């Protein structure tokens, strides 16, 4: 089957340093791929390359088999890739209400007013924010803002949702609760997703497969059990040991 | 005792900086109010009953509104073009477009006159007819002040959090992102730019006087130094201008409450490809740059050899006076700006109050401030100030203190307060922190504030022309007073000297700031 997203031998140099060094990975339709790696491994850059916000220096990006970036050029601009993103800082537009944040992308994609409102009401109801539709992001709690961010991505019914460490900076309790919500939402919609994180717990909980990224390239891909059975690098071993200590297993 | 003094360093420094702002700005306005009540009222109030005065005020407000509307219409799209697109040579085009902002606007009027006037380089009866009256005043001022909008909005666009823009780019085309996300986010900067342009246009004296268009500030000026000398009436006539200034200040406070526009540096931010609009974009940017260069080129052509040869006879000490007074003014403004800017950035309550006074000085029409300064300092006991360049320096500080304080406040607000707090935690006193941490860390901001203040002082005509000491006129005053009766070639040559002095200051600044960034 043609993968929903494919990076093929992607290289990228920024500010004199190699950020991505021959990165290749596939995300199958309906799969949640967790991309796990230490700081400065190139996780966020890989996401930005998929989104079309950065052109790869070398290599290609395919969406549903179509080449969308190649040879240092962006062939299909971000807004035509039918992807959605949840950034680490959530990037909720402060001048728009919750409703406005969700409506912006739908309007840009030509969805009519009635359908727009129905879809927004449905997704806000699902994340428990129906009563907050008229609020601005500044008037919401941290957890509510996270819910708006995921709702804003899902309301578009995109080909894939890309999440860039969205739960960083939250306390443990809230992180667990939201992780559960994200897992439910992605599963019930059979969404294709790429979930970037440096936390092995999040990767294990959400990812059907985990891709470990170190120094700009994938060093191991597999299910959590496969990684645990034969960790390929010291980093993989260390994070798995830390996870085992943390969960008592 | 020493410990107590250490603890009071901040209030003492703040009191010193605050006193300078209060004496320069608030005292003249206060004394003006007193003079009005005591002396000027009886004679002056009659002039306020004159419907002609109110008609003149309405005309001035109409001109300022038209200039503001035009500057916004042109400046906002240009800001997007210069700040966010892959336009070829966009930086050079922006520099050329922005340069006229740093010149006295009447110099531009002079340049356009040498170009389009009856005797102009490309002049004819038709062009002369078109370049006259209110439309010409509005056009010249709009060209002079559009860069205020372009610069403030472009800086604010650069300061928008990158992820806010990228989150929108993932779902929408660049034009929709610009209209739906970027422009609403920079709305405070647009509003601030509109207020600054309105204040500058309303206070403008040189351009309307040069083009023989009667405006309200000129009526005040005429009663102070012209044929209609009547200081009591001048006191009364400034009353409506004070009301307008207070209204502008109130609007500015409302904008400020929505957050000071953050100014950023577009390092590594991907630009929007113009694609098939590239040629159209280049044409628009080229036109913006050409409109800035045209009057300066006309000045150069008009000056010719004849003008340059006569310059030594006519220039007198005006260049020296300009640089001396502006240098002193900018240094005081930057020093006050460090103390005041830090207080604003750190949210000190008195910082906001003094910021309001400084902004009032900037938005108050120069004629009002000038009349106030005359009322305070034109006394036998203060001849040492009023009879020397000191009064010019004082005028500069009164008018432009806000530029220094705001520039430094923005620089400090962008840095982490932890740097200073760490120094405080290890026992650094206020003065030690200010001089050892705040100033060195934000040196670029301080230098930028000094340069900006210097350029604004060098370009000032409106404030200085009311009270420059005899024989100590600055270069813009010299050109302005010569313009009516002096040889046109000499006037053009002197205007070019003003252009060269300003360009040199900006060039030195760009080189210095560029070097400090590389370090």
């Amino acid at each position: 089957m043609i993968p929903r997203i494919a990076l093929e031998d992607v290289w990228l140099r920024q500010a004199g340093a190699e950020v991505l060094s021959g990165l290749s990975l596939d995300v199958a339709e309906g799969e949640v791929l967790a991309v796990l790696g230490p700081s400065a491994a190139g996780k966020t850059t890989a996401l930005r390359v998929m989104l079309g916000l950065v052109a790869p220096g070398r290599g290609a990006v395919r969406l549903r088999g179509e080449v969308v970036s190649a040879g240092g050029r962006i062939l299909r601009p971000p807004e035509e890739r039918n992807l959605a993103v949840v950034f680490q800082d959530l990037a909720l537009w402060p001048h728009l209400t919750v409703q406005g944040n969700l409506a912006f992308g739908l309007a840009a994609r030509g969805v009519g007013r009635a359908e727009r409102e129905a879809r927004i009401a449905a997704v806000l109801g699902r994340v428990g924010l129906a009563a907050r539709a008229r609020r601005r992001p500044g008037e919401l709690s941290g957890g509510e803002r996270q819910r708006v961010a995921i709702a804003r991505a899902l309301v578009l019914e995109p080909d894939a949702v890309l999440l860039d460490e969205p739960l960083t900076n939250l306390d443990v309790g809230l992180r667990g609760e939201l992780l559960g919500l994200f897992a439910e939402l992605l599963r019930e919609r059979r969404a294709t997703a790429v979930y970037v994180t440096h936390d092995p717990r999040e990767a294990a909980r959400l990812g059907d497969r985990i891709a470990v990224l170190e120094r700009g390239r994938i060093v191991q891909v597999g299910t959590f059990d496969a990684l645990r059975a034969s960790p390929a690098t010291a980093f993989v071993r260390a994070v798995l040991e830390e996870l085992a200590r943390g969960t008592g297993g | 005792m020493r410990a107590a003094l250490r603890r009071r360093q901040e209030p003492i420094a703040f009191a010193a900086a605050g006193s300078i702002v209060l004496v320069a700005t608030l005292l003249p306005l206060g004394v003006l109010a007193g003079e009005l009540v005591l002396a000027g009222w009886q004679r002056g109030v009659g002039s306020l009953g004159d419907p002609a005065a109110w008609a003149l005020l309405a005309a001035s407000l109409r001109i300022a509104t038209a200039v503001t509307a035009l500057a916004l219409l042109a400046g906002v799209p240009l800001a997007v073009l210069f700040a966010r697109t892959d336009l070829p040579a966009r930086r050079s085009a922006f520099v050329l477009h922005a340069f006229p902002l740093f010149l006295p606007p009447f110099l531009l009027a002079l340049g356009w006159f040498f170009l389009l006037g009856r005797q102009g380089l490309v002049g004819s009866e038709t062009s002369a007819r078109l370049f006259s009256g209110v439309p010409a005043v509005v056009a010249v001022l709009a060209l002079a002040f559009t860069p205020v909008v372009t610069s403030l909005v472009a800086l604010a666009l650069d300061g928008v959090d990158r992820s806010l823009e990228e989150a929108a780019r993932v779902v929408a085309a660049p034009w929709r992102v610009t209209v739906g996300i970027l422009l609403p986010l920079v709305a405070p900067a647009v509003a601030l730019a509109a207020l600054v342009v309105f204040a500058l246009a309303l206070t403008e004296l040189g351009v309307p006087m040069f083009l023989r268009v009667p405006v309200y500030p000129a009526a005040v000026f005429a009663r102070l130094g012209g044929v209609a000398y009547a200081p009591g009436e001048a006191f009364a006539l400034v009353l409506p201008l004070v009301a307008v200034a207070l209204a502008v200040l109130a609007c500015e406070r409302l904008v400020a409450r929505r957050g000071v526009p953050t100014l950023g540096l577009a390092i590594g931010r991907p630009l929007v490809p113009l694609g098939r609009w590239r040629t159209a974009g280049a044409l628009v940017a080229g036109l913006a740059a050409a409109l800035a260069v045209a009057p300066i080129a006309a000045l150069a052509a008009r000056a010719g050899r004849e003008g340059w040869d006569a310059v030594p006879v006519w220039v007198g000490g005006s260049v020296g006076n300009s640089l001396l007074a502006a240098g002193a003014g900018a240094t005081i403004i930057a020093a006050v700006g460090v103390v005041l800017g830090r207080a604003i950035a750190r949210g000190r309550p008195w910082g906001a109050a003094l910021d309001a006074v400084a902004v009032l000085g900037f938005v108050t029409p120069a004629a009002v401030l000038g009349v106030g300064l005359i009322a305070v300092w034109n006394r036998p006991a203060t001849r040492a100030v009023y009879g020397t360049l000191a009064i010019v320096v004082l005028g500069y500080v009164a008018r432009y203190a806000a530029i220094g304080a705001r520039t430094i406040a923005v620089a400090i607000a962008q840095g982490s307060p932890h740097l200073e707090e760490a120094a405080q935690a290890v026992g650094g006193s206020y003065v030690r922190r200010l001089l050892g941490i705040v100033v060195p860390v934000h040196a670029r901001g301080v230098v930028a504030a000094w340069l900006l203040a210097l350029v604004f002082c060098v370009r000032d005509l409106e404030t200085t022309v009311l009270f420059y000491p005899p024989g100590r006129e600055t270069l813009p005053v010299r050109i302005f007073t010569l313009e009516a009766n002096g040889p046109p070639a000499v006037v053009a040559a002197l205007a070019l000297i003003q252009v060269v002095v300003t360009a040199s200051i900006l060039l030195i600044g760009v080189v210095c700031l560029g070097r400090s960034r590389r370090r």
Side-chain angles (χ1 to χ4, degrees), chain B residues 445-471:
Chain B
V446 176
V447 172
W450 186 80
L451 283 166
L452 209 55
L454 184 70
V455 171
F456 268 86
C457 294
V458 165
R459 92 189 257 290
D460 182 274
L461 170 74
E462 278 73 25
T463 326
T464 331
V465 77
L466 292 173
F467 49 68
Y468 67 91

PDB file of all heavy atoms in Angstrom, chain B residues 445-471:
ATOM      1  N   GLY B 445      20.215  48.411  21.443  1.00  0.00           N
ATOM      2  CA  GLY B 445      18.986  49.184  21.627  1.00  0.00           C
ATOM      3  C   GLY B 445      19.292  50.610  22.052  1.00  0.00           C
ATOM      4  O   GLY B 445      18.661  51.567  21.581  1.00  0.00           O
ATOM      5  N   VAL B 446      20.295  50.759  22.950  1.00  0.00           N
ATOM      6  CA  VAL B 446      20.651  52.097  23.443  1.00  0.00           C
ATOM      7  C   VAL B 446      21.243  52.928  22.303  1.00  0.00           C
ATOM      8  O   VAL B 446      20.879  54.099  22.111  1.00  0.00           O
ATOM      9  CB  VAL B 446      21.647  51.994  24.632  1.00  0.00           C
ATOM     10  CG1 VAL B 446      22.095  53.375  25.081  1.00  0.00           C
ATOM     11  CG2 VAL B 446      21.009  51.235  25.794  1.00  0.00           C
ATOM     12  N   VAL B 447      22.145  52.297  21.533  1.00  0.00           N
ATOM     13  CA  VAL B 447      22.755  53.016  20.406  1.00  0.00           C
ATOM     14  C   VAL B 447      21.682  53.384  19.371  1.00  0.00           C
ATOM     15  O   VAL B 447      21.655  54.501  18.838  1.00  0.00           O
ATOM     16  CB  VAL B 447      23.881  52.165  19.753  1.00  0.00           C
ATOM     17  CG1 VAL B 447      24.389  52.816  18.477  1.00  0.00           C
ATOM     18  CG2 VAL B 447      25.033  51.988  20.728  1.00  0.00           C
ATOM     19  N   ALA B 448      20.772  52.427  19.117  1.00  0.00           N
ATOM     20  CA  ALA B 448      19.697  52.699  18.155  1.00  0.00           C
ATOM     21  C   ALA B 448      18.838  53.869  18.635  1.00  0.00           C
ATOM     22  O   ALA B 448      18.457  54.740  17.838  1.00  0.00           O
ATOM     23  CB  ALA B 448      18.841  51.449  17.957  1.00  0.00           C
ATOM     24  N   ALA B 449      18.554  53.905  19.934  1.00  0.00           N
ATOM     25  CA  ALA B 449      17.743  54.993  20.493  1.00  0.00           C
ATOM     26  C   ALA B 449      18.470  56.327  20.333  1.00  0.00           C
ATOM     27  O   ALA B 449      17.868  57.341  19.964  1.00  0.00           O
ATOM     28  CB  ALA B 449      17.459  54.723  21.970  1.00  0.00           C
ATOM     29  N   TRP B 450      19.776  56.319  20.598  1.00  0.00           N
ATOM     30  CA  TRP B 450      20.566  57.557  20.487  1.00  0.00           C
ATOM     31  C   TRP B 450      20.555  58.049  19.036  1.00  0.00           C
ATOM     32  O   TRP B 450      20.331  59.234  18.767  1.00  0.00           O
ATOM     33  CB  TRP B 450      22.000  57.296  20.964  1.00  0.00           C
ATOM     34  CG  TRP B 450      22.856  58.526  21.015  1.00  0.00           C
ATOM     35  CD1 TRP B 450      22.867  59.470  21.993  1.00  0.00           C
ATOM     36  CD2 TRP B 450      23.801  58.970  20.019  1.00  0.00           C
ATOM     37  NE1 TRP B 450      23.756  60.471  21.681  1.00  0.00           N
ATOM     38  CE2 TRP B 450      24.342  60.193  20.470  1.00  0.00           C
ATOM     39  CE3 TRP B 450      24.232  58.457  18.808  1.00  0.00           C
ATOM     40  CZ2 TRP B 450      25.305  60.899  19.750  1.00  0.00           C
ATOM     41  CZ3 TRP B 450      25.189  59.166  18.082  1.00  0.00           C
ATOM     42  CH2 TRP B 450      25.714  60.363  18.562  1.00  0.00           C
ATOM     43  N   LEU B 451      20.780  57.118  18.108  1.00  0.00           N
ATOM     44  CA  LEU B 451      20.828  57.499  16.691  1.00  0.00           C
ATOM     45  C   LEU B 451      19.478  58.020  16.205  1.00  0.00           C
ATOM     46  O   LEU B 451      19.402  59.021  15.494  1.00  0.00           O
ATOM     47  CB  LEU B 451      21.240  56.297  15.843  1.00  0.00           C
ATOM     48  CG  LEU B 451      22.728  55.963  15.878  1.00  0.00           C
ATOM     49  CD1 LEU B 451      22.971  54.577  15.303  1.00  0.00           C
ATOM     50  CD2 LEU B 451      23.530  57.000  15.090  1.00  0.00           C
ATOM     51  N   LEU B 452      18.422  57.327  16.621  1.00  0.00           N
ATOM     52  CA  LEU B 452      17.083  57.728  16.197  1.00  0.00           C
ATOM     53  C   LEU B 452      16.760  59.123  16.741  1.00  0.00           C
ATOM     54  O   LEU B 452      16.236  59.983  16.025  1.00  0.00           O
ATOM     55  CB  LEU B 452      16.069  56.705  16.728  1.00  0.00           C
ATOM     56  CG  LEU B 452      14.800  56.500  15.925  1.00  0.00           C
ATOM     57  CD1 LEU B 452      15.119  56.142  14.485  1.00  0.00           C
ATOM     58  CD2 LEU B 452      13.953  55.393  16.550  1.00  0.00           C
ATOM     59  N   ALA B 453      17.106  59.337  18.017  1.00  0.00           N
ATOM     60  CA  ALA B 453      16.872  60.650  18.628  1.00  0.00           C
ATOM     61  C   ALA B 453      17.700  61.707  17.897  1.00  0.00           C
ATOM     62  O   ALA B 453      17.224  62.808  17.609  1.00  0.00           O
ATOM     63  CB  ALA B 453      17.220  60.606  20.108  1.00  0.00           C
ATOM     64  N   LEU B 454      18.965  61.358  17.573  1.00  0.00           N
ATOM     65  CA  LEU B 454      19.853  62.297  16.890  1.00  0.00           C
ATOM     66  C   LEU B 454      19.247  62.718  15.548  1.00  0.00           C
ATOM     67  O   LEU B 454      19.188  63.910  15.219  1.00  0.00           O
ATOM     68  CB  LEU B 454      21.220  61.638  16.668  1.00  0.00           C
ATOM     69  CG  LEU B 454      22.301  62.515  16.053  1.00  0.00           C
ATOM     70  CD1 LEU B 454      22.755  63.577  17.054  1.00  0.00           C
ATOM     71  CD2 LEU B 454      23.514  61.703  15.619  1.00  0.00           C
ATOM     72  N   VAL B 455      18.771  61.727  14.793  1.00  0.00           N
ATOM     73  CA  VAL B 455      18.220  62.028  13.474  1.00  0.00           C
ATOM     74  C   VAL B 455      16.966  62.900  13.600  1.00  0.00           C
ATOM     75  O   VAL B 455      16.779  63.848  12.834  1.00  0.00           O
ATOM     76  CB  VAL B 455      17.926  60.714  12.714  1.00  0.00           C
ATOM     77  CG1 VAL B 455      17.158  61.000  11.444  1.00  0.00           C
ATOM     78  CG2 VAL B 455      19.218  60.006  12.376  1.00  0.00           C
ATOM     79  N   PHE B 456      16.113  62.569  14.575  1.00  0.00           N
ATOM     80  CA  PHE B 456      14.891  63.363  14.742  1.00  0.00           C
ATOM     81  C   PHE B 456      15.227  64.791  15.184  1.00  0.00           C
ATOM     82  O   PHE B 456      14.555  65.741  14.780  1.00  0.00           O
ATOM     83  CB  PHE B 456      13.925  62.685  15.720  1.00  0.00           C
ATOM     84  CG  PHE B 456      12.952  61.799  15.014  1.00  0.00           C
ATOM     85  CD1 PHE B 456      13.284  60.490  14.715  1.00  0.00           C
ATOM     86  CD2 PHE B 456      11.720  62.275  14.602  1.00  0.00           C
ATOM     87  CE1 PHE B 456      12.406  59.670  14.036  1.00  0.00           C
ATOM     88  CE2 PHE B 456      10.829  61.464  13.916  1.00  0.00           C
ATOM     89  CZ  PHE B 456      11.173  60.154  13.633  1.00  0.00           C
ATOM     90  N   CYS B 457      16.264  64.961  16.020  1.00  0.00           N
ATOM     91  CA  CYS B 457      16.669  66.304  16.434  1.00  0.00           C
ATOM     92  C   CYS B 457      17.237  67.072  15.232  1.00  0.00           C
ATOM     93  O   CYS B 457      16.942  68.245  15.036  1.00  0.00           O
ATOM     94  CB  CYS B 457      17.714  66.247  17.543  1.00  0.00           C
ATOM     95  SG  CYS B 457      17.095  65.570  19.089  1.00  0.00           S
ATOM     96  N   VAL B 458      18.067  66.383  14.434  1.00  0.00           N
ATOM     97  CA  VAL B 458      18.686  67.037  13.276  1.00  0.00           C
ATOM     98  C   VAL B 458      17.623  67.488  12.272  1.00  0.00           C
ATOM     99  O   VAL B 458      17.762  68.507  11.619  1.00  0.00           O
ATOM    100  CB  VAL B 458      19.720  66.088  12.601  1.00  0.00           C
ATOM    101  CG1 VAL B 458      20.096  66.578  11.218  1.00  0.00           C
ATOM    102  CG2 VAL B 458      20.979  65.988  13.457  1.00  0.00           C
ATOM    103  N   ARG B 459      16.516  66.715  12.173  1.00  0.00           N
ATOM    104  CA  ARG B 459      15.488  67.044  11.170  1.00  0.00           C
ATOM    105  C   ARG B 459      14.480  68.059  11.684  1.00  0.00           C
ATOM    106  O   ARG B 459      13.671  68.568  10.927  1.00  0.00           O
ATOM    107  CB  ARG B 459      14.775  65.775  10.706  1.00  0.00           C
ATOM    108  CG  ARG B 459      13.532  65.420  11.467  1.00  0.00           C
ATOM    109  CD  ARG B 459      12.986  64.080  11.119  1.00  0.00           C
ATOM    110  NE  ARG B 459      11.830  64.104  10.249  1.00  0.00           N
ATOM    111  CZ  ARG B 459      10.615  64.526  10.599  1.00  0.00           C
ATOM    112  NH1 ARG B 459      10.393  65.013  11.817  1.00  0.00           N
ATOM    113  NH2 ARG B 459       9.618  64.467   9.762  1.00  0.00           N
ATOM    114  N   ASP B 460      14.529  68.356  12.982  1.00  0.00           N
ATOM    115  CA  ASP B 460      13.477  69.186  13.578  1.00  0.00           C
ATOM    116  C   ASP B 460      13.479  70.617  13.033  1.00  0.00           C
ATOM    117  O   ASP B 460      14.508  71.270  12.955  1.00  0.00           O
ATOM    118  CB  ASP B 460      13.658  69.242  15.097  1.00  0.00           C
ATOM    119  CG  ASP B 460      12.555  70.054  15.747  1.00  0.00           C
ATOM    120  OD1 ASP B 460      12.703  71.300  15.831  1.00  0.00           O
ATOM    121  OD2 ASP B 460      11.549  69.457  16.138  1.00  0.00           O
ATOM    122  N   LEU B 461      12.294  71.045  12.654  1.00  0.00           N
ATOM    123  CA  LEU B 461      12.111  72.449  12.273  1.00  0.00           C
ATOM    124  C   LEU B 461      11.043  73.084  13.167  1.00  0.00           C
ATOM    125  O   LEU B 461      11.250  74.144  13.750  1.00  0.00           O
ATOM    126  CB  LEU B 461      11.677  72.550  10.803  1.00  0.00           C
ATOM    127  CG  LEU B 461      11.216  73.948  10.375  1.00  0.00           C
ATOM    128  CD1 LEU B 461      12.403  74.893  10.239  1.00  0.00           C
ATOM    129  CD2 LEU B 461      10.458  73.887   9.050  1.00  0.00           C
ATOM    130  N   GLU B 462       9.935  72.351  13.311  1.00  0.00           N
ATOM    131  CA  GLU B 462       8.743  72.916  13.954  1.00  0.00           C
ATOM    132  C   GLU B 462       9.005  73.450  15.357  1.00  0.00           C
ATOM    133  O   GLU B 462       8.526  74.521  15.720  1.00  0.00           O
ATOM    134  CB  GLU B 462       7.625  71.860  14.017  1.00  0.00           C
ATOM    135  CG  GLU B 462       6.844  71.728  12.748  1.00  0.00           C
ATOM    136  CD  GLU B 462       7.640  71.034  11.663  1.00  0.00           C
ATOM    137  OE1 GLU B 462       8.561  70.263  11.990  1.00  0.00           O
ATOM    138  OE2 GLU B 462       7.356  71.290  10.490  1.00  0.00           O
ATOM    139  N   THR B 463       9.752  72.680  16.157  1.00  0.00           N
ATOM    140  CA  THR B 463       9.995  73.111  17.537  1.00  0.00           C
ATOM    141  C   THR B 463      10.984  74.270  17.540  1.00  0.00           C
ATOM    142  O   THR B 463      10.746  75.314  18.146  1.00  0.00           O
ATOM    143  CB  THR B 463      10.582  71.934  18.366  1.00  0.00           C
ATOM    144  OG1 THR B 463      10.017  70.727  17.903  1.00  0.00           O
ATOM    145  CG2 THR B 463      10.297  72.101  19.839  1.00  0.00           C
ATOM    146  N   THR B 464      12.100  74.068  16.848  1.00  0.00           N
ATOM    147  CA  THR B 464      13.213  75.009  16.904  1.00  0.00           C
ATOM    148  C   THR B 464      12.878  76.368  16.318  1.00  0.00           C
ATOM    149  O   THR B 464      13.338  77.394  16.829  1.00  0.00           O
ATOM    150  CB  THR B 464      14.420  74.434  16.120  1.00  0.00           C
ATOM    151  OG1 THR B 464      14.356  73.018  16.165  1.00  0.00           O
ATOM    152  CG2 THR B 464      15.714  74.924  16.679  1.00  0.00           C
ATOM    153  N   VAL B 465      12.089  76.383  15.248  1.00  0.00           N
ATOM    154  CA  VAL B 465      11.882  77.629  14.509  1.00  0.00           C
ATOM    155  C   VAL B 465      11.190  78.691  15.377  1.00  0.00           C
ATOM    156  O   VAL B 465      11.329  79.893  15.132  1.00  0.00           O
ATOM    157  CB  VAL B 465      11.083  77.356  13.211  1.00  0.00           C
ATOM    158  CG1 VAL B 465       9.599  77.145  13.497  1.00  0.00           C
ATOM    159  CG2 VAL B 465      11.273  78.491  12.206  1.00  0.00           C
ATOM    160  N   LEU B 466      10.505  78.244  16.428  1.00  0.00           N
ATOM    161  CA  LEU B 466       9.779  79.199  17.268  1.00  0.00           C
ATOM    162  C   LEU B 466      10.696  79.982  18.201  1.00  0.00           C
ATOM    163  O   LEU B 466      10.377  81.079  18.607  1.00  0.00           O
ATOM    164  CB  LEU B 466       8.720  78.455  18.096  1.00  0.00           C
ATOM    165  CG  LEU B 466       7.549  77.868  17.303  1.00  0.00           C
ATOM    166  CD1 LEU B 466       6.678  77.033  18.198  1.00  0.00           C
ATOM    167  CD2 LEU B 466       6.741  78.977  16.665  1.00  0.00           C
ATOM    168  N   PHE B 467      11.837  79.385  18.583  1.00  0.00           N
ATOM    169  CA  PHE B 467      12.626  80.075  19.624  1.00  0.00           C
ATOM    170  C   PHE B 467      14.139  79.947  19.455  1.00  0.00           C
ATOM    171  O   PHE B 467      14.875  80.075  20.411  1.00  0.00           O
ATOM    172  CB  PHE B 467      12.226  79.563  21.019  1.00  0.00           C
ATOM    173  CG  PHE B 467      12.186  78.067  21.127  1.00  0.00           C
ATOM    174  CD1 PHE B 467      13.356  77.327  21.056  1.00  0.00           C
ATOM    175  CD2 PHE B 467      10.988  77.397  21.302  1.00  0.00           C
ATOM    176  CE1 PHE B 467      13.332  75.955  21.144  1.00  0.00           C
ATOM    177  CE2 PHE B 467      10.948  76.012  21.389  1.00  0.00           C
ATOM    178  CZ  PHE B 467      12.124  75.297  21.315  1.00  0.00           C
ATOM    179  N   TYR B 468      14.605  79.655  18.249  1.00  0.00           N
ATOM    180  CA  TYR B 468      16.061  79.527  18.088  1.00  0.00           C
ATOM    181  C   TYR B 468      16.719  80.866  18.441  1.00  0.00           C
ATOM    182  O   TYR B 468      16.208  81.931  18.101  1.00  0.00           O
ATOM    183  CB  TYR B 468      16.412  79.073  16.666  1.00  0.00           C
ATOM    184  CG  TYR B 468      16.102  80.076  15.596  1.00  0.00           C
ATOM    185  CD1 TYR B 468      17.051  81.016  15.190  1.00  0.00           C
ATOM    186  CD2 TYR B 468      14.847  80.102  14.993  1.00  0.00           C
ATOM    187  CE1 TYR B 468      16.750  81.950  14.210  1.00  0.00           C
ATOM    188  CE2 TYR B 468      14.550  81.023  14.022  1.00  0.00           C
ATOM    189  CZ  TYR B 468      15.492  81.948  13.634  1.00  0.00           C
ATOM    190  OH  TYR B 468      15.199  82.875  12.679  1.00  0.00           O
ATOM    191  N   PRO B 469      17.853  80.815  19.169  1.00  0.00           N
ATOM    192  CA  PRO B 469      18.488  82.070  19.574  1.00  0.00           C
ATOM    193  C   PRO B 469      19.068  82.791  18.353  1.00  0.00           C
ATOM    194  O   PRO B 469      19.523  82.125  17.420  1.00  0.00           O
ATOM    195  CB  PRO B 469      19.622  81.624  20.507  1.00  0.00           C
ATOM    196  CG  PRO B 469      19.429  80.169  20.719  1.00  0.00           C
ATOM    197  CD  PRO B 469      18.585  79.639  19.623  1.00  0.00           C
ATOM    198  N   PRO B 470      19.060  84.113  18.353  1.00  0.00           N
ATOM    199  CA  PRO B 470      19.580  84.855  17.201  1.00  0.00           C
ATOM    200  C   PRO B 470      21.018  84.435  16.884  1.00  0.00           C
ATOM    201  O   PRO B 470      21.851  84.326  17.790  1.00  0.00           O
ATOM    202  CB  PRO B 470      19.539  86.314  17.670  1.00  0.00           C
ATOM    203  CG  PRO B 470      18.590  86.324  18.815  1.00  0.00           C
ATOM    204  CD  PRO B 470      18.581  84.977  19.420  1.00  0.00           C
ATOM    205  N   GLY B 471      21.266  84.161  15.626  1.00  0.00           N
ATOM    206  CA  GLY B 471      22.619  83.783  15.202  1.00  0.00           C
ATOM    207  C   GLY B 471      22.973  82.340  15.482  1.00  0.00           C
ATOM    208  O   GLY B 471      24.073  81.899  15.164  1.00  0.00           O
TER     209      GLY B 471
END
